[in-house]
Amino acid sequence: MNYSDIKYADMINGEGIRVSLFVSGCDHACAGCFNKVSWDENYGKPFTEASEKEIFDYFTKYGHSLRGLSLLGGDPTYPKNIEPLTEFLKRFKEKFPDKDVWIWSGFTWEEIREDEKKARLLSYCDVLVDGRFVENLKDITQKWKGSLNQRVLDVKKTMAAGTAVEYKKRPA
Ligand code: SF4
């Protein structure tokens, strides 16, 4: 798996102060995509044990002020990214169980739950921003999503209810 960037102390992509990992690879080809270079799975550099350690060390050092981790792309649910991210999140949640994980996917929750591997990755996440970017539904006033068809979902409540449940902002 390749990634293009790790943003530390990110306050844009999710709630609170976060670490955001931008992985490479996406085959949704949404018209008006803001990050076309990330479609190529070889874009950026390999996500290695050293990259993981860098993130873990940051959480160990600054965890008291961090709310969690965000996974963006590209698409974290792109085939080549699913297994490495699942293993990474498994270790992340073991080490930092009180930190939340947000994930952005071009697939909808309904599509993700039908795919065993994608669903397993999602099981380590707390918030899902789902669906492709649709240019004629673009709305720059929306927080965390680019177009009105996308949803910000509470993963645990959605899984339990078996239907999409919108995420409600948590107190700081
Ligand atoms: S899912 Fe995201 S990264 Fe992929 S084409 Fe659509 S907007 Fe671009």
Side-chain angles (χ1 to χ4, degrees):
M1 177 179 78
N2 272 26
Y3 74 102
S4 58
D5 198 11
I6 299 171
K7 285 195 194 314
Y8 291 98
D10 183 7
M11 295 180 71
I12 305 290
N13 297 297
E15 233 171 42
I17 306 172
R18 318 185 60 78
V19 174
S20 297
L21 169 65
F22 294 77
V23 295
S24 301
C26 180
D27 49 18
H28 293 288
C30 309
C33 170
F34 62 101
N35 196 11
K36 278 189 176 177
V37 287
S38 70
W39 294 4
D40 179 357
E41 65 181 34
N42 297 312
Y43 179 64
K45 49 191 171 182
F47 188 78
T48 61
E49 277 180 30
S51 325
E52 176 173 308
K53 183 175 182 306
E54 188 181 299
I55 292 175
F56 286 1
D57 287 350
Y58 191 83
F59 271 93
T60 301
K61 196 165 178 188
Y62 301 109
H64 54 281
S65 59
L66 295 171
R67 181 73 78 96
L69 175 73
S70 295
L71 302 177
L72 307 99
D75 190 341
T77 55
Y78 177 77
K80 200 174 172 184
N81 298 335
I82 295 172
E83 287 193 41
L85 283 178
T86 302
E87 294 308 310
F88 169 57
L89 287 188
K90 195 174 163 204
R91 293 188 286 273
F92 178 79
K93 283 286 191 177
E94 276 166 13
K95 279 178 97 68
F96 309 105
D98 60 328
K99 303 301 170 194
D100 65 14
V101 176
W102 288 47
I103 187 168
W104 276 252
S105 172
F107 295 99
T108 62
W109 172 69
E110 289 81 359
E111 290 166 331
I112 291 173
R113 74 170 166 177
E114 296 303 322
D115 180 305
E116 198 181 321
K117 288 184 178 171
K118 290 190 187 87
R120 181 154 180 263
L121 171 60
L122 191 66
S123 73
Y124 290 103
C125 302
D126 301 284
V127 177
L128 166 70
V129 183
D130 82 339
R132 299 172 75 242
F133 171 70
V134 178
E135 200 166 22
N136 62 8
L137 295 176
K138 179 177 174 179
D139 185 342
I140 56 166
T141 67
Q142 298 292 312
K143 221 173 175 183
W144 305 318
K145 58 184 189 176
S147 57
L148 291 170
N149 60 298
Q150 295 171 319
R151 303 169 296 185
V152 183
L153 301 179
D154 184 314
V155 172
K156 303 291 180 280
K157 288 183 180 168
T158 293
M159 301 282 223
T163 187
V165 178
E166 286 282 332
Y167 175 73
K168 297 267 184 291
K169 198 174 181 304
R170 279 201 295 142

